[in-house]
Amino acid sequence: MALAGQLPPPRTAHLAALRDGESAIIDQGLVLWFPAPGSATGEDVAEFHVHGGRAVVAAMFAALLRVEGLRPAEPGEFTRRAFENGKLDLTEAEGIDDLIHADTDRQRRQALRHLQGLLGHRAEDWRRQVIEAAALVEAGIDFSDEGDVPDDLAAPARARIEALRDDIAAALAASARSERLRDGLTVAIAGPPNAGKSTLLNALARREAAIVSPYAGTTRDVIEVQFDLDGYPVTLLDTAGMRETADPVEQEGVRRARARAAEADLVLWVCEPQDRTLPQEPDWQASVWVIRNKIDLDGTTLEKGEAFAISAARGDGMTDLLAAVARFASDYFGGDNALISRTRHRVLLEEAGTALGQALAELEPELVAEHLRVAAQCLGRITARIDVEDVLDVIFRDFCIGK
């Protein structure tokens, strides 16, 4: 080898002086050699484990680029080569991408499950069952006059199709919003002016992210803060106080506040201790929780059966509020056993389930077989067992360079 002087034994770590040409030593490091097909990509792979200083890494790159035929890898190229050589299916490749971009422990765990084949193995098993059911249907079509073919193949095929449709429906129901875990939960803090919304944001985020002032209308634009809540990624939105005003700047702030709250997954409506009124906002589809704030100022205590009475400034009730938001996130995303991590997965499973339902509704065997072919194709596209070239560029372009 140009840098290490010799090719080490396969899959054995070899300590070597790594040289730039025949003279200058760049570093002492470990060299590993993985001949095809026994490598991560299925191709010949060499690894150099060097000290991580910028000068060492820069010198190694410069030396490698002087070797004829070598070039820097494209984004996601190693993973794509592993996929194209059958080392990974598409869901496992997507799991690597999600693992690279995971910011919280829940995201990491979901990505790791997909890297280990959580969805891919299920999808392949479902596809195999569809193909077996289709074989029964088509045998009844093509060989109905043969003596060794059972007269009634429709009943066992129908039983398989029905069980498979129900299994996919159950997986979809259990993973109702699990693909949203990659983006996180959006929680809007809304309410009238000077109710303590910015104080609550700072208390939840555990830092001074928003300006706190006794003057109404201090918050004019939406302030966003990201934080990790029990492993769930959460985006907090501190919005302008909602009231009627003649100030055109404040009017725009109120408009933006209403719009962002309408897009949120959960709205925390912060109000005075005596106020228990829910906001009248027909466009809001999210769950709305009334948060009675400032209980430290008037001696108000949490009444029996009441959810949230807090003092964001002093900390009263904050532990219970955080725990409730964490439970909401767990229920929202479907817990740790969710099967789906991307909208692509959900759409293809829904299409496969629809095709299976159509197969059950048909009486003509030829049409049943066609619906089963569509279902098998949808399941095959999840793992890329069929041609999905149109999807690959979109998936791999977001990878780290060379990963």
Side-chain angles (χ1 to χ4, degrees):
M1 296 175 64
L3 277 76
Q6 61 179 337
L7 195 67
R11 289 171 291 282
T12 302
H14 174 68
L15 181 64
L18 303 174
R19 298 177 180 272
D20 184 1
E22 297 181 356
S23 54
I25 295 179
I26 300 172
D27 191 15
Q28 271 202 328
L30 295 177
V31 182
L32 292 97
W33 166 243
F34 301 92
S39 69
T41 65
E43 302 170 334
D44 292 339
V45 173
E47 292 184 3
F48 298 92
H49 295 252
V50 299
H51 295 92
R54 284 181 291 181
V56 173
V57 173
M60 283 293 297
F61 272 119
L64 287 167
L65 290 174
R66 281 193 284 272
V67 177
E68 185 178 356
L70 292 189
R71 61 166 177 80
E74 298 292 334
E77 185 168 355
F78 279 90
T79 305
R80 182 160 185 167
R81 287 173 180 242
F83 162 73
E84 291 174 342
N85 291 322
K87 294 293 183 176
L88 300 169
D89 68 34
L90 195 53
T91 64
E92 292 167 334
E94 289 169 327
I96 292 176
D97 182 35
D98 290 343
L99 199 57
I100 292 168
H101 295 101
D103 293 320
T104 72
D105 190 57
R106 303 274 182 176
Q107 291 174 317
R108 177 192 64 80
R109 283 152 58 182
Q110 177 176 269
L112 192 59
R113 288 197 301 272
H114 282 280
L115 177 57
Q116 294 170 339
L118 172 72
L119 175 60
H121 295 165
R122 287 284 296 277
E124 278 302 295
D125 182 58
W126 286 332
R127 181 170 175 266
R128 176 187 57 78
Q129 292 181 56
V130 171
I131 292 172
E132 289 174 356
L136 290 173
V137 173
E138 292 180 7
I141 297 171
D142 297 335
F143 306 107
S144 57
D145 56 343
E146 297 290 335
D148 57 347
V149 177
D151 293 335
D152 186 10
L153 296 173
R158 183 179 181 84
R160 290 193 183 197
I161 297 167
E162 193 166 358
L164 184 57
R165 180 202 58 184
D166 294 344
D167 198 13
I168 291 175
L172 285 166
S175 306
R177 301 185 184 94
S178 55
E179 70 269 25
R180 285 287 314 280
L181 181 58
R182 299 172 63 243
D183 302 319
L185 187 77
T186 302
V187 179
I189 302 174
N194 211 26
K197 298 183 296 299
S198 297
T199 303
L200 178 57
L201 175 86
N202 292 340
L204 291 172
R206 297 184 178 90
R207 64 186 178 90
E208 297 296 318
I211 298 173
V212 176
S213 165
Y215 300 103
T218 300
T219 302
R220 296 296 184 95
D221 206 349
V222 178
I223 298 173
E224 295 191 15
V225 175
Q226 281 80 35
F227 78 111
D228 182 338
L229 177 61
D230 193 25
Y232 293 105
V234 176
T235 299
L236 285 175
L237 307 177
D238 181 20
T239 63
M242 295 186 187
R243 66 174 178 178
E244 297 299 325
T245 175
D247 184 339
V249 178
E250 192 175 354
Q251 285 177 351
E252 177 61 18
V254 172
R255 186 196 67 79
R256 294 185 183 186
R258 285 195 165 97
R260 294 303 299 275
E263 297 170 352
D265 304 310
L266 174 65
V267 176
L268 304 182
W269 181 260
V270 183
C271 56
E272 296 295 329
Q274 304 82 10
D275 192 356
R276 293 175 176 81
T277 305
L278 282 170
Q280 301 301 312
E281 297 288 342
D283 293 335
W284 292 5
Q285 303 299 314
S287 297
V288 180
W289 295 356
V290 174
I291 312 296
R292 296 170 54 223
N293 191 23
K294 302 182 183 179
I295 61 171
D296 56 315
L297 299 183
D298 71 346
T300 302
T301 57
L302 185 63
E303 297 178 4
K304 185 177 181 180
E306 189 171 25
F308 306 109
I310 68 167
S311 168
R314 198 170 63 185
D316 303 41
M318 291 301 299
T319 299
D320 291 340
L321 178 58
L322 280 167
V325 175
R327 288 194 298 272
F328 179 90
S330 178
D331 294 340
Y332 186 91
F333 293 124
D336 287 338
N337 297 318
L339 194 66
I340 297 169
S341 67
R342 294 181 179 235
T343 302
R344 183 183 78 85
H345 305 156
R346 180 175 300 281
V347 170
L348 289 170
L349 284 177
E350 287 173 345
E351 291 177 354
T354 298
L356 292 171
Q358 291 171 334
L360 289 170
E362 286 291 349
L363 298 177
E364 294 294 331
E366 290 82 0
L367 294 178
V368 173
E370 175 60 20
H371 290 309
L372 293 179
R373 184 193 64 79
V374 171
Q377 185 180 54
C378 292
L379 294 169
R381 288 175 68 86
I382 292 175
T383 57
R385 296 304 182 190
I386 61 171
D387 183 22
V388 287
E389 193 67 28
D390 56 327
V391 187
L392 299 185
D393 289 334
V394 175
I395 290 173
F396 288 107
R397 72 185 180 194
D398 292 330
F399 273 62
C400 295
I401 299 297
K403 179 59 183 173

